[in-house]
Amino acid sequence: MDKKVSIIVPVYKGRIYLKECLESLLKQTYPHCEVVVIYVKGDKKAQEIIDKFQKDPSLLPVKIKKNEGISSTRNLGIKISSGYYVAFCDDDDFFHPQKIEKQIKVLDEPGVGLTYCDFQVVNAQSELLTDASVPEWDLDKWLKDTYIGLSTLVVEKEILEKAGLFNEELFASEDFELLLRLSTLTTFKKTKGFLASRRIHTSNHSRKTSKILIERYKIYKKYGYTTLGLYTLFRNLFISNTIFYLYEHPRLYETLKKIKR
């Protein structure tokens, strides 16, 4: 029996990219998907976009009274979902057509409960900025580089529930903290290929660099990785701000890439 994949899409500030996001999810080559899109009642822009896809049986729109936070929204989507597996896609990101199909093949391997993939970074106009090739799973390496993007992974729902879902008390890095818990419950394996795109734009939640990195440091400390947390905090404060600056100044970015070659 073919196993269904539920893709959870919380609608937030990225709703201007929501049409492209939903199109990519509803055009997956794997035929057994449901797209759970969650948005605030009264969001006319989101409603207008979702209405364009209302005839697609794979789409499951869910209205909520108010935004209780990204973790709460994702957890609601997980609870509502009917899939054997769960995937996530932020409303400003998008999947490549064969993403789910290729990842299901990896999840069919014995013992594998979570898979992730390489991704591409694009700008507000969906133009490619860079390819982000990530390594095979290694906990120590991941703790230093945190290279798994939430929109790249697919995970078995039962394992996700066993882990306890997203921590709704966290301001940020809720995906990092959840992956820490999941890593103790199942085997992670990379699916080869650039199968998702992550968008960088001015309203990204992930641009609140300092607050996010401090929150992440607290997570490192909670799980006994204090020294490593300090290392990544100071390193990423510099690296993250530099990356965002270069992505917003494409001419400088292209010049530096040519110099590197």
Side-chain angles (χ1 to χ4, degrees), residues 2 10 40 72-73 78 88 92 179 218 223 225 227 236 238 240:
D2 292 310
V40 176
S72 174
T73 304
I78 295 166
F88 302 94
D92 50 359
L179 284 168
K218 293 177 181 177
Y223 286 91
Y225 300 105
T227 302
N236 289 336
F238 171 76
S240 298

Side-chain angles (χ1 to χ4, degrees), residues 218-255:
K218 293 177 181 177
I219 296 168
Y220 275 104
K221 186 177 179 180
K222 174 183 176 182
Y223 286 91
Y225 300 105
T226 303
T227 302
L228 187 56
L230 284 171
Y231 163 76
T232 59
L233 171 64
F234 290 110
R235 185 194 66 172
N236 289 336
L237 276 171
F238 171 76
I239 292 176
S240 298
N241 286 321
T242 301
I243 289 173
F244 278 120
Y245 180 83
L246 289 174
Y247 285 164
E248 290 186 343
H249 296 81
R251 290 184 180 179
L252 175 60
Y253 178 67
E254 290 300 323
T255 300

Side-chain angles (χ1 to χ4, degrees), residues 29-41:
T29 55
Y30 185 73
H32 309 287
C33 293
E34 73 171 357
V35 179
V36 183
V37 56
I38 306 169
Y39 63 106
V40 176
K41 183 179 180 181

Side-chain angles (χ1 to χ4, degrees), residues 161-194:
E161 291 172 331
K162 188 176 180 180
L165 308 187
F166 291 95
N167 185 339
E168 297 181 16
E169 296 181 0
L170 294 174
F171 157 74
S173 294
E174 67 287 333
D175 50 344
F176 169 72
E177 196 267 347
L178 176 60
L179 284 168
L180 266 175
R181 286 183 275 126
L182 285 168
S183 69
T184 67
L185 299 175
T186 190
T187 298
F188 290 14
K189 186 170 182 179
K190 176 183 173 180
T191 301
K192 295 180 181 179
F194 296 95

Side-chain angles (χ1 to χ4, degrees), residues 138-147 176 216 220 228 231-233 235-236 239:
D138 180 281
L139 178 61
D140 293 334
K141 186 180 292 185
W142 175 73
L143 284 169
K144 292 179 181 178
D145 297 327
T146 59
Y147 49 77
F176 169 72
R216 182 165 293 189
Y220 275 104
L228 187 56
Y231 163 76
T232 59
L233 171 64
R235 185 194 66 172
N236 289 336
I239 292 176

